[in-house]
Amino acid sequence: MRTAKIFMSAMMALAASTSAYAADISDGKVKIGILNDQSGVYASFGGKYSYEAAKMAAEDFGGTVLGAPIEVVTADHQNKTDVASNIARQWYDTEGVDSIMELTSSSVGLAVQALSKDKKKITINTAAATNELTGAQCSPYGFHWAFDTNSLAYGTGGALVQQGGDSWFFLTADYAFGYSLEKSTSEFVKEKGGTVLGAVRHPLSTADYSSFLLQAQSSGAKVIGLANAGLDTSNAIKQAAEFGITAGGQRLAGLLFTIAEVHGLGLEAAQGLTLTESFYWDRDDESREFGKRFMERTGAMPNMVHAGTYSAVLSYLKAIDKAGTDEGDAVAKALKELPVNDVFAKNGRVAENGRMISDLYLLEVKKPADSKEPWDYYNVLATIPGEEAYLDPAKSGCSLVAQ
């Protein structure tokens, strides 16, 4: 009898403890929204694969945080800012979503981050590239993982100039992301002693690049920088081959290109491309184990967006656990205090402006004959220290940082 009373007392204490923990969690659960392009030019870049990466992180964390269950939901913003904003508002106002992540495309990322700032909700961008997210449009609740235009430009732009590609012409996506990537790369090209001969802008998801490529070809530039992403980059590379651009001696630089696009394009077309990613599945034993698990779920190897989303979700949950609540200010503070050590980043840190700083990798796409197995696509040319590749927070223009 006495044993039964002791057991019941222990169970009641545990229940009270669990209730106390859950009481610090809004709605009694933590709900994370993965908002991205699932049907357009960036569907492979992030899309359903980021959703799976987020679910993997929630499962690996244990499925609960502070005694509350973790739920991951997703939606397609169709690369439309108004659609994304409406979904985000509905998620926050009626569906109990606590944080929104991934956010493919810079215009969407900026819009949702601004909305989330008003509602004191955490956003972690893992697929939008513009520096403005942690620059002039930074937010105390906004964080930026995986890459940005400055780090990509530093990696690919600077490296090609040093390899002799000292004159550039840009094919640029006609929106905020493209402008930012072109600007950052141009600055690094000039800093390394190169010149920029011109640029042409194309609409998002255009089907015909002929007039743009002819302008780039006639410029005589040694390097044609593709300041776009997803299928836009892949289609530009395919059509460049039809015009004999690389056969004529000019070089293509994919300024935002990932293993997902290399796979879609094929090694025959993509071979020789130089690019920068912040994750490669075949980097070490830990990344290979993660890649294998991801492949079993999706049929594809993860790129930096997918692995970055995994890291962002994991870091968010760790921050809630540290803060003892999912309240925005407390979680934001914890995110900036915790180091980032996971399969995506080693010894990463979150700066005052919300930029997560970790290493990147300068990569070259292998020739078909050099690839030994499926998804064995890269030669790792160099590790790029994050402290060099990312903009100094004090120079970012973010109001959260002492300038």
Side-chain angles (χ1 to χ4, degrees):
M1 186 70 173
R2 186 168 179 272
T3 303
K5 286 182 178 179
I6 292 172
F7 175 75
M8 288 300 295
S9 296
M11 292 300 293
M12 289 174 68
L14 178 61
S17 173
T18 301
S19 296
Y21 275 121
D24 292 323
I25 299 295
S26 58
D27 301 324
K29 65 181 174 182
V30 172
K31 195 169 183 179
I32 300 166
I34 303 301
L35 183 57
N36 58 17
D37 173 17
Q38 299 177 14
S39 55
V41 293
Y42 302 135
S44 296
F45 182 71
K48 62 183 181 182
Y49 304 108
S50 290
Y51 177 49
E52 287 299 323
K55 290 194 292 183
M56 283 178 68
E59 292 164 13
D60 289 350
F61 193 79
T64 65
V65 58
L66 297 178
I70 303 163
E71 182 180 353
V72 183
V73 297
T74 191
D76 183 358
H77 62 46
Q78 304 171 42
N79 283 316
K80 297 176 181 177
T81 303
D82 59 338
V83 172
S85 297
N86 288 337
I87 292 171
R89 189 173 290 106
Q90 179 178 332
W91 273 356
Y92 288 148
D93 293 346
T94 66
E95 298 184 26
V97 168
D98 300 293
S99 175
I100 299 178
M101 303 187 196
E102 218 261 43
L103 294 166
T104 317
S105 92
S106 294
S107 56
V108 165
L110 290 167
V112 174
Q113 179 170 284
L115 172 65
S116 301
K117 178 181 179 181
D118 293 339
K119 295 181 178 294
K120 296 187 176 182
K121 298 285 191 177
I122 301 293
T123 55
I124 306 182
N125 277 272
T126 61
T130 179
N131 295 331
E132 289 294 291
L133 286 162
T134 52
Q137 299 188 52
C138 70
S139 160
Y141 310 101
F143 296 84
H144 201 180
W145 245 246
F147 64 96
D148 61 20
T149 49
N150 198 84
S151 62
L152 297 175
Y154 181 93
T156 307
L160 286 181
V161 173
Q162 291 177 322
Q163 293 177 9
D166 55 7
S167 60
W168 284 63
F169 187 96
F170 290 93
L171 258 68
T172 302
D174 193 11
Y175 71 110
F177 152 70
Y179 312 150
S180 182
L181 187 52
E182 178 191 323
K183 180 177 181 292
S184 296
T185 308
S186 296
E187 290 171 354
F188 283 117
V189 166
K190 293 172 184 176
E191 183 181 298
K192 297 292 184 180
T195 58
V196 175
L197 302 182
V200 63
R201 292 173 176 172
H202 67 79
L204 179 68
S205 193
T206 187
D208 185 2
Y209 290 86
S210 57
S211 64
F212 311 119
L213 288 167
L214 285 172
Q215 290 181 62
Q217 188 176 41
S218 63
S219 74
K222 294 179 182 178
V223 179
I224 299 172
L226 303 174
N228 47 24
L231 287 176
D232 280 336
T233 306
S234 298
N235 289 334
I237 291 170
K238 288 178 184 177
Q239 292 179 35
E242 296 170 6
F243 282 98
I245 287 176
T246 53
Q250 289 175 296
R251 191 168 185 175
L252 298 177
L255 298 175
L256 178 46
F257 207 62
T258 78
I259 199 167
E261 290 76 53
V262 172
H263 183 73
L265 193 58
L267 290 184
E268 189 65 41
Q271 61 182 307
L273 278 171
T274 303
L275 60 134
T276 300
E277 286 208 59
S278 51
F279 177 84
Y280 180 37
W281 73 269
D282 202 17
R283 185 185 70 229
D284 56 30
D285 288 343
E286 186 181 11
S287 61
R288 282 187 281 273
E289 189 274 336
F290 176 77
K292 180 180 178 181
R293 289 199 295 132
F294 189 86
M295 169 70 83
E296 288 171 352
R297 295 175 72 123
T298 66
M301 280 297 180
N303 65 10
M304 64 180 172
V305 175
H306 311 138
T309 301
Y310 175 89
S311 173
V313 171
L314 207 58
S315 294
Y316 175 66
L317 296 172
K318 290 177 181 178
I320 291 174
D321 189 57
K322 175 180 171 63
T325 176
D326 63 351
E327 188 273 327
D329 286 292
V331 174
K333 182 176 183 291
L335 276 166
K336 292 179 180 179
E337 292 173 348
L338 288 169
V340 181
N341 281 301
D342 52 37
V343 70
F344 175 78
K346 300 302 177 191
N347 300 314
R349 69 177 181 90
V350 180
E352 306 95 303
N353 61 345
R355 173 69 257 172
M356 199 280 278
I357 297 172
S358 62
D359 294 345
L360 299 99
Y361 305 95
L362 182 65
L363 306 162
E364 180 184 56
V365 179
K366 290 183 175 183
K367 297 177 181 178
D370 295 333
S371 179
K372 305 304 180 185
E373 61 179 309
W375 297 89
D376 173 28
Y377 292 162
Y378 290 152
N379 292 313
V380 180
L381 302 181
T383 298
I384 306 165
E387 298 291 345
E388 296 178 10
Y390 290 107
L391 191 64
D392 181 349
K395 299 177 181 178
S396 66
C398 174
S399 59
L400 303 173
V401 185
Q403 305 298 313

